[in-house]
Amino acid sequence: AVVSTQSGHYGRGTITIICWTFIISWVPFLVKLGLQTLKMDVPAWLYVVQIEMLSLNVTLNPLIYTATNRRFRNFVIRRLLRRKKGGRIPKIQAGNVREVKATQKDSFLSSSEMKSFS
C-alpha cells in the first residue's frame, strides 16, 4: 500500500504545473512542425509565437520551483543575498517573512560554502 504524505502530495502538484507549462509551451512548435510536414505554408507569426513560448517556458521553470518548493526558495534567497558573517536571511512561509539563521542541515550549500557565510 502506498502511504500518502503531505510532501508527496505537494511534489505531485509541482510536477503537474511543470508538465502543463512544458506541454503548453511546446504546442506552437508542434503545430509548426505539423504544417511543415504536410507541406503547408507556416504563418510568420507562428515562428514568433514559437520562440516566445519556448523562452517563456525556460523563464517560468525556476519561478515555479521557487514558488512551490521551500528548500529551493531558501537556496535561491541565500544565493541572491550572499549574506555576511553572522547575517540572517529571510525565510518565507505562508506569505509572511521572518528572520532565521541558516543551518547546514536544511541547506543545499556545502560545508565550505556554509563556513564562508557563517
Side-chain angles (χ1 to χ4, degrees):
V2 176
V3 177
S4 177
T5 63
Q6 185 177 9
S7 63
H9 177 68
Y10 187 75
R12 283 192 302 268
T14 301
I15 295 299
T16 302
I17 293 169
I18 293 290
C19 287
W20 277 109
T21 303
F22 178 83
I23 291 167
I24 291 168
S25 298
W26 279 89
V27 165
F29 172 77
L30 296 173
V31 169
K32 180 194 72 121
L33 189 63
L35 291 174
Q36 288 175 334
T37 302
L38 297 172
K39 308 270 190 240
M40 297 175 71
D41 289 334
V42 179
W45 61 266
L46 189 55
Y47 286 100
V48 174
V49 170
Q50 169 199 333
I51 291 169
E52 294 299 323
M53 290 297 286
L54 294 177
S55 299
L56 184 64
N57 178 261
V58 171
T59 303
L60 286 177
N61 280 339
L63 297 175
I64 292 168
Y65 280 114
T66 303
T68 59
N69 187 308
R70 184 183 325 149
R71 287 183 70 195
F72 187 79
R73 180 173 50 243
N74 289 340
F75 171 75
V76 169
I77 290 170
R78 271 188 218 105
R79 287 294 183 175
L80 290 175
L81 292 180
R82 298 281 184 183
R83 15 180 228 125
K84 295 185 179 188
K85 188 174 183 175
R88 295 183 176 268
I89 60 169
K91 186 171 184 180
I92 302 169
Q93 288 183 332
N96 60 3
V97 178
R98 60 186 177 96
E99 299 286 324
V100 296
K101 183 133 178 138
T103 64
Q104 183 158 356
K105 185 175 92 175
D106 65 355
S107 175
F108 283 93
L109 303 175
S110 67
S111 305
S112 59
E113 288 175 315
M114 282 300 293
K115 287 177 186 173
S116 70
F117 290 120
S118 299

